[in-house]
Amino acid sequence: MIEEPYRWVEAIANRREYIETQLAAGSPIAAVGYRDGILFVTLGRARQKIFEIYDRIAMGAIGHPGDIERLRMAAIELASTEGFTRSAADVSLRRLAHYSLSPVMKSAFEQVYGPPYLARLLFAEIGSSPKEDLFLRIDYDGAIAADGLTAQPRQRFAVLSGTRQSAELMEKFLQKAHVTDAALPDAVNTALDAWSVGRMAMGENASKELPDPAAVRKHRDEQLAGAGIEAAVLERDTKSAIRYRILPDEELRSSLQC
Amino acid sequence: MDKPPLALDPNFSGASEDFPAVLRRKGLLQIAPEPTAAAGHHPFVPTESTTILALKFAGGVLVAGDRRATAGNTVVYDRADKVLEIDRHSIMAIAGVPATAWEMARVLEHSFQYFRRTQLQEMSVDGKVRALSKLLRDNFGFVMQGVGVVVPIFATYDGNSKPEARLYFYDAMGAQFEVTDYAATGSGSPAVRGILYYENNWGGKKLQQLNEDEAIAIALRALDTAAEADTSTGGVDRSGKIFPLIKIVSRDGINTLPEEKIAAVFRQNVA
């Protein structure tokens, strides 16, 4: 039956709907460029969602932990063997995403008898100058988006969320609030606000428009009381080849504007 | 990048592999032949022509190596780096066949990072020490063929349970020995060990109480002494102004001493 083209299209559509439902509750992640690099921020209670992939590449992910883990391992393994056999400079996010991860995710998604990857990934690669930074999203169907959902080329931030509406509102918020050369504490504040905007656009009483700043701040403070901040940076100018650094929750909280 | 890895296989179950195993699976790591008796065609010839030393002093561990690379009795290179940074707090210094040693350092460097990235925690110092031991053991087939002997020193700073600098030396089969004060390896090491033993017991101060300049001075004197009798050790090349490579491991990470600093200590305390 599935051999008939219409059935196949229908099966894919069902599968898409199923995956979207599964991902809908995923806590948003914001990645923003700041003065000295790129910052990843999310809020969570249990599972780690921001990861180091290679010297200059970081990943944020929402979805099923098992699937995220397989994709994460694959990305690390590819980057590490490339960095080992050639050099760290030859490891590129563009190649990793376009030639390795995307085709694999696409074929898993379209082979309707096999399991798809229940995961949505957000990558960032830090370059030697802000111009060379790369933000890149890969969806469960292998689709790659290097710019924002709303087609604003070369914006120096990217978001990941469970629903399209939530991600769009986060981008809308960041287009106004994001300052490219902000200091780290300011960037953390903006990213946390963006997270709150995204979170408020999800679930039962989802807001369809950008909420006013006071409401965002109120929501954010409520969430901060119950959840930990998970954050990491890719730093541009450091003596070390490894640019990824985890920012501990305590360090972040002391710099928050409440 | 090559074809997507097996990790995307539906049966994939977590990262139980370490990095050398990944490399072997992909055919990127040369596998040493079974060690066989050295008799017959491949007499065991240790070729550890160099001098490396490490000593603990008040500011951490100092690791120093001469710069000469030799092939038989020919000097092929006079600016070789034998003191290699493996991660933010670890140094591997090598005596032996450079091709094998540098490859080993690369594998080791990637192993530590691969572990941290996949397992989401830093490898313990004991794990790191053991990882090098395993690489040496896996390489032993080449050693018995007389083509790949490596005898390293490993210095690191343990930031965990009991923060302190740690220093190990190895034999070619992979046995590791932790030392309290100093270690030396390579063809010039007997002279260096004599000097460091003497300094530690009857010198003005114990090695562990030396300040940075004093430690540098002793390292330079020891290398110079080794070079006096060992043709494979470069020591300090006074005419070419080539100085040994010196790195210091401490709580703050690794500090590679600039040549001017070494030159200044050399002029004041050695020359």
Side-chain angles (χ1 to χ4, degrees):
Chain A
M1 282 183 294
I2 217 87
E3 288 79 28
E4 296 168 43
Y6 173 72
R7 297 283 186 184
W8 185 79
V9 171
E10 192 182 54
I12 290 292
N14 287 342
R15 168 173 280 225
R16 194 176 287 280
E17 197 185 317
Y18 161 72
I19 300 172
E20 290 285 358
T21 321
Q22 293 289 309
L23 294 178
S27 175
I29 299 171
V32 297
Y34 70 104
R35 196 175 55 204
D36 309 312
I38 298 169
L39 164 77
F40 275 73
V41 169
T42 186
L43 253 72
R45 290 179 179 81
R47 258 171 48 216
Q48 185 170 341
K49 293 205 294 286
I50 300 168
F51 305 98
E52 175 185 14
I53 298 299
Y54 203 66
D55 291 3
R56 293 177 293 113
I57 303 175
M59 176 184 101
I62 56 176
H64 191 286
D67 288 336
I68 293 174
E69 196 65 0
R70 279 158 69 203
L71 293 164
R72 182 175 79 86
M73 289 293 173
I76 294 174
E77 188 179 312
L78 281 165
S80 300
T81 45
E82 177 77 359
F84 174 78
T85 47
R86 294 197 179 88
S87 83
D90 292 298
V91 177
S92 98
L93 173 56
R94 182 182 55 79
R95 290 167 63 216
L96 183 69
H98 285 260
Y99 307 148
S100 297
L101 295 175
S102 167
V104 169
M105 291 172 82
K106 178 176 190 296
S107 62
F109 175 69
E110 290 178 348
Q111 283 163 8
V112 288
Y113 288 122
Y117 287 100
L118 292 179
R120 191 169 270 159
L121 311 173
L122 169 64
F123 289 93
E125 178 181 58
I126 188 137
S128 49
S129 71
K131 264 191 188 163
E132 292 163 45
D133 290 353
L134 180 60
F135 294 89
L136 198 144
R137 264 192 319 262
I138 312 181
D139 226 325
Y140 54 84
D141 58 359
I144 295 180
D147 293 317
L149 290 163
T150 44
Q152 295 274 331
R154 304 294 328 164
Q155 50 191 15
R156 292 207 52 232
F157 59 80
V159 301
L160 196 67
S161 188
T163 65
R164 188 179 169 89
Q165 181 174 303
S166 161
E168 275 178 4
L169 281 182
M170 285 173 83
E171 283 193 354
K172 203 167 159 189
F173 171 80
L174 282 173
Q175 275 155 15
K176 283 201 196 113
H178 178 240
V179 182
T180 321
D181 56 355
L184 183 57
D186 298 332
V188 172
N189 271 295
T190 312
L192 281 172
D193 284 346
W195 181 89
S196 281
V197 168
R199 195 81 193 82
M200 289 166 85
M202 295 166 71
E204 294 286 304
N205 309 312
S207 49
K208 294 200 172 48
E209 292 301 318
L210 267 186
D212 66 90
V216 171
R217 202 41 72 94
K218 182 167 170 286
H219 177 266
R220 183 185 116 171
D221 291 344
E222 283 166 13
Q223 295 290 322
L224 276 174
I229 308 173
E230 188 186 341
V233 284
L234 289 167
E235 292 171 304
R236 197 178 314 283
D237 295 314
T238 151
K239 274 191 249 165
S240 166
I242 299 160
R243 307 302 181 80
Y244 182 86
R245 185 165 68 89
I246 294 171
L247 302 176
D249 182 274
E250 314 83 62
E251 184 185 318
L252 287 168
R253 278 181 199 260
S254 59
S255 69
L256 286 183
Q257 305 158 2
C258 291
Chain B
M1 263 167 241
D2 52 3
K3 64 180 163 40
L6 290 177
L8 288 164
D9 192 295
N11 300 319
F12 171 72
S13 59
S16 51
E17 287 177 311
D18 61 1
F19 191 65
V22 172
L23 293 179
R24 276 194 289 271
R25 165 157 60 70
K26 297 184 154 211
L28 296 171
L29 194 65
Q30 202 178 4
I31 296 167
E34 280 295 304
T36 49
H41 303 299
H42 305 297
F44 174 65
V45 191
T47 47
E48 304 149 28
S49 312
T50 192
T51 303
I52 300 291
L53 69 90
L55 60 95
K56 288 192 191 173
F57 71 106
V61 188
L62 175 150
V63 187
D66 79 299
R67 312 288 300 269
R68 178 170 291 180
T70 55
N73 52 14
T74 310
V75 176
V76 291
Y77 192 41
D78 57 8
R79 288 170 200 275
D81 289 350
K82 305 168 188 173
V83 182
L84 310 171
E85 288 178 33
I86 303 297
D87 65 18
R88 281 177 199 182
H89 287 97
S90 307
I91 285 179
M92 174 182 165
I94 48 167
V97 176
T100 313
W102 283 329
E103 185 76 353
M104 218 174 254
R106 264 179 91 71
V107 174
L108 202 63
E109 180 186 356
H110 275 81
S111 296
F112 295 173
Q113 286 169 24
Y114 184 80
F115 183 90
R116 186 188 65 245
R117 286 168 180 148
T118 58
Q119 308 302 306
L120 306 172
Q121 66 182 54
E122 194 71 38
M123 195 189 284
S124 69
V125 165
D126 288 344
K128 290 177 180 177
V129 168
R130 180 82 194 112
L132 177 52
S133 180
K134 204 164 169 307
L135 286 179
L136 289 164
R137 187 71 190 80
D138 289 346
N139 180 56
F140 195 58
F142 286 129
V143 175
M144 290 307 286
Q145 287 193 342
V147 291
V149 65
V150 177
V151 188
I153 286 175
F154 188 74
T156 188
Y157 192 88
D158 189 349
N160 294 327
S161 49
K162 200 174 145 216
E164 61 175 347
R166 309 261 294 264
L167 180 56
Y168 301 81
F169 71 93
Y170 290 78
D171 71 9
M173 266 189 88
Q176 78 238 12
F177 306 92
E178 181 165 11
V179 296
T180 50
D181 298 304
Y182 62 87
T185 177
S187 53
S189 62
V192 170
R193 287 179 67 179
I195 289 170
L196 294 178
Y197 184 82
Y198 184 93
E199 281 290 342
N200 199 33
N201 285 290
W202 301 292
K205 283 181 189 173
K206 290 270 180 202
L207 292 177
Q208 295 222 26
Q209 289 156 1
L210 298 178
N211 65 31
E212 189 175 295
D213 280 7
E214 291 164 339
I216 296 168
I218 285 187
L220 291 174
R221 285 176 192 168
L223 284 174
D224 205 44
T225 310
E228 179 67 19
D230 177 29
T231 54
S232 304
T233 297
V236 182
D237 175 354
R238 279 155 219 208
S239 55
K241 296 195 174 59
I242 300 167
F243 289 95
L245 191 64
I246 301 182
K247 290 180 192 277
I248 290 170
V249 189
S250 67
R251 181 193 294 271
D252 305 328
I254 294 170
N255 179 19
T256 304
L257 296 182
E259 212 156 73
E260 308 84 71
K261 165 88 179 167
I262 300 174
V265 175
F266 180 79
R267 277 193 302 273
Q268 203 176 349
N269 296 300
V270 186

